[in-house]
Amino acid sequence: MTDRQGFASTSLPRHLLRGATGFGALIGSFALLPVLGIGSLLLAPIGLLALRGCPACWAIGLVQTISMGRLQRSCKDGVCELTVARPGGSHEHDESRPGSGVPVAY
């Protein structure tokens, strides 16, 4: 498993804009059925494209985007640990420094 954030966006405003566009288009495609008829369903693929395929994936990406840079996973000898990254410095976990990372159970 890699440390790559598969569903995250580069910024929180960009991710929220994708969500507003995607959910707006999906809701609009069904809400506008009585007004526009079957043609309103053309908004559904636009919504799914903005959400990159599924609303659940967008929600996972939101959590990843928010936590990006705040949590760090490090694995050593088959044991993985999730630590809170140090503010203002490198995100590398330095075990020789006390208080360099607070272990978080997961």
Side-chain angles (χ1 to χ4, degrees):
M1 181 176 240
T2 64
D3 287 333
R4 184 173 165 258
Q5 301 289 337
F7 297 107
S9 293
T10 55
S11 70
L12 185 59
R14 174 181 271 178
H15 197 83
L16 292 175
L17 181 63
R18 273 188 35 240
T21 302
F23 286 114
L26 284 176
I27 292 168
S29 70
F30 293 104
L32 294 173
L33 267 172
V35 177
L36 299 177
I38 197 95
S40 70
L41 293 178
L42 293 174
L43 289 172
I46 295 169
L48 290 175
L49 182 67
L51 295 174
R52 293 185 185 166
C54 70
C57 299
W58 179 86
I60 292 168
L62 178 63
V63 173
Q64 288 179 345
T65 302
I66 291 171
S67 70
M68 194 180 319
R70 295 182 182 165
L71 298 175
Q72 179 180 355
R73 182 184 58 165
S74 59
C75 297
K76 189 174 186 178
D77 298 328
V79 177
C80 293
E81 181 180 64
L82 189 63
T83 56
V84 177
R86 291 188 310 264
S90 169
H91 293 295
E92 293 298 318
H93 180 66
D94 184 7
E95 293 183 16
S96 64
R97 288 186 56 194
S100 64
V102 179
V104 178
Y106 66 102

